Amino acid sequence: MKIVDPTPTVKNPPDYFTGDVWLDPIATPQEGDQRMNVLNVRFAPGARTAWHSHDRGQTLHVTTGVAWMQFRGGQVFEVQTGQTVYIPPGQEHWHGAAPDRFMVHLAMHENADDPAATTTWLEHVTDEEYRLS
Ligand code: MN
């Protein structure tokens, strides 16, 4: 057993996010064939991910504020603090803050067989898509 060295907060890579987003890894694989990743992700109002999918799916748990999310082909929907959302493997989606609220969620997903293929990033979510709620 050990206390894991803290990882510095990372500001969003702009290729993958719109607006200001901060990432704090909480759990990452430590050894062997472990796959678990847990990140605390903080979004400024209106900030969101680009469209993307996860090779082995993802679970999101909103801990602060109000989230907006959308699956490809679906409507934008709101997720409240305390709610959990499951995204199946390969399903294209985005997640972010409501326009007028900060939002914090835990993002939990397993690495793909090739860890570099865990998340497939696609195009940005346009303002028009974001507002079609
Ligand atoms: Mn996701």
Side-chain angles (χ1 to χ4, degrees), residues 48-59:
R48 66 269 187 182
T49 69
W51 285 98
H52 64 283
S53 64
H54 304 283
D55 185 69
R56 297 175 67 86
Q58 185 177 53
T59 298

Side-chain angles (χ1 to χ4, degrees), residues 49 52-54 58 60 87 93-95 105 107 109 119 121:
T49 69
H52 64 283
S53 64
H54 304 283
Q58 185 177 53
L60 300 173
I87 299 137
H93 67 285
W94 60 265
H95 27 111
H105 69 42
H109 51 269
T119 300
W121 289 102

